[in-house]
Amino acid sequence: MQTKPALAGAIAFARVRPPKREASILSIEEPRQEVQPNRQVPDFEFDHVGAKRIGCHSLLAKDTGPEFLREAASILRNAARRSLVVPDEIGHGASTFDGVSIAWLALLARMLHASGCERPGRKPGRCAVVSFRPCAEARCSPAHRGSVGMRDFTMGKWLALAVLFSLAVGCGTTAPSVSDAAPGHWRPKAGTSWQWQLTGAMGVPLPMEVYDVDWQVDGTVLAALHDSSIRAICYVSVGSWEDWRPDASQFPAAVIGADYAMWSGEKYLDIRAPVVRALMEKRFDICKEKGFDAIEPDNMDVFELGAASGFPLTEADGIAYALWLAEAAHARGLGIGQKNAAGITGAIQSSYDWALSENCYSEGNWCPTLAPYLDADKPVFMCEYHAASFAAACAWAVPRKYSPILKSLDLGAPVTLCP
């Protein structure tokens, strides 16, 4: 589909259907207005693909900005992993909004790239790709001819970007969320088999569908897992400070709270602090760069301690942080799971891809609080630490499609599976 309103240039969309690579194309256009480009911009990096213009017809001569957003939101929501989205003539737009329109397209590209196209080992032609074309036709104004629209974008106009998305929602079409815009991130199914190993040498991977390992593992570990067609979850403690981590010195003293009982060198974090979120984003970036498929956000339940954490944390703080974590992971094309925090399942389950519990059966069987994941065909990775109750845990959990394993607290290589 190609939309051509004055507000935001154009977007060409085609879904390729192998093997004939046919494409269904609809073009929409509205009258153009002269623009005044703003060239004060930083450089942005995008993959570029050669593409020809896909034609246009004046089907909606009275199209409006909100109408464009409705069309663009629909395009994004219907884009698949074999889709090509080409923002065309991004130098065109109403003079007041040209920078804003390009900002919107920049975010569009960012979200599509979050689908996992840049993941190491990803085969070409399996992802949605974005291409930015310069305005080079004779009908372009001299100021725009040959310009690349990304250079018409000023950072000061990001604020108005929120207005555009609000308009898209207000027009009756849901604007693409980060999750919607990253169709390539991993979404496992209920009953998926798994291994959890945070210490010790891994050796030859077990025949599991998923391994959960630490974010600092060597890249060769990830390569070995992916060579065995095993998905890799990136363990990150998002609610505690650990003195052995390479970024430990970057956490200000003001965000480091009370000692984490039983775990030497570990303290709770103030999950409300922007600096904590910024550092977690850097860790998520490392997970992405290494080729992980998802995030395990350990200690996201720190809010349950309240003031005992060293900060006056509330359930509302925990929910806000959990939703932010999901956004941050999905924006990078990574899945994410709810780690314990059973009390907020109802508030966050729709934003998460799976759950991971510890001792949910042996500690009074609170496992059913995570059942909404199974109802949505999302797995509950269930770890038990008590051997005496593990057989009973298996008898209860397996028919309900939970994924139970028995581990020791050090989370080394040994694992016991249900019969």
Side-chain angles (χ1 to χ4, degrees), residues 338-386:
Q338 175 182 332
K339 176 69 175 291
N340 296 321
I344 62 172
T345 298
I348 70 172
Q349 182 271 136
S350 62
S351 297
Y352 276 70
D353 305 300
W354 41 274
L356 193 159
S357 69
E358 293 176 289
N359 275 345
C360 74
Y361 185 84
S362 60
E363 294 181 354
N365 195 6
W366 53 268
C367 310
T369 61
L370 299 175
Y373 282 93
L374 300 172
D375 294 340
D377 198 22
K378 301 175 182 180
V380 175
F381 298 122
M382 177 178 163
C383 179
E384 295 290 310
Y385 298 121
H386 299 295

Side-chain angles (χ1 to χ4, degrees), residues 215-264:
W215 66 277
Q216 287 186 250
V217 296
D218 187 83
T220 58
V221 173
L222 273 297
L225 293 175
H226 287 148
D227 286 347
S228 299
S229 299
I230 297 173
R231 295 285 190 171
I233 295 174
C234 188
Y235 170 92
V236 178
S237 180
V238 300
S240 72
W241 173 83
E242 302 153 307
D243 64 5
W244 64 90
R245 296 297 186 182
D247 58 358
S249 63
Q250 299 178 39
F251 289 84
V255 303
I256 301 174
D259 289 337
Y260 195 147
M262 298 181 5
W263 300 102
S264 177

Side-chain angles (χ1 to χ4, degrees), residues 195-203 211-214 217 235 244-245 263 407-414:
Q195 159 69 319
W196 194 10
Q197 184 177 346
L198 301 185
T199 64
M202 187 177 71
Y211 258 69
D212 188 339
V213 297
D214 191 80
V217 296
Y235 170 92
W244 64 90
R245 296 297 186 182
W263 300 102
K407 299 284 293 186
S408 61
L409 281 173
D410 67 355
L411 295 174

Side-chain angles (χ1 to χ4, degrees), residues 1 43 52 74 165 169 188 248 252 256 295 313 377:
M1 177 176 289
D43 288 332
K52 294 183 178 179
S74 175
F165 279 107
V169 176
I256 301 174
I295 301 288
L313 300 179
D377 198 22

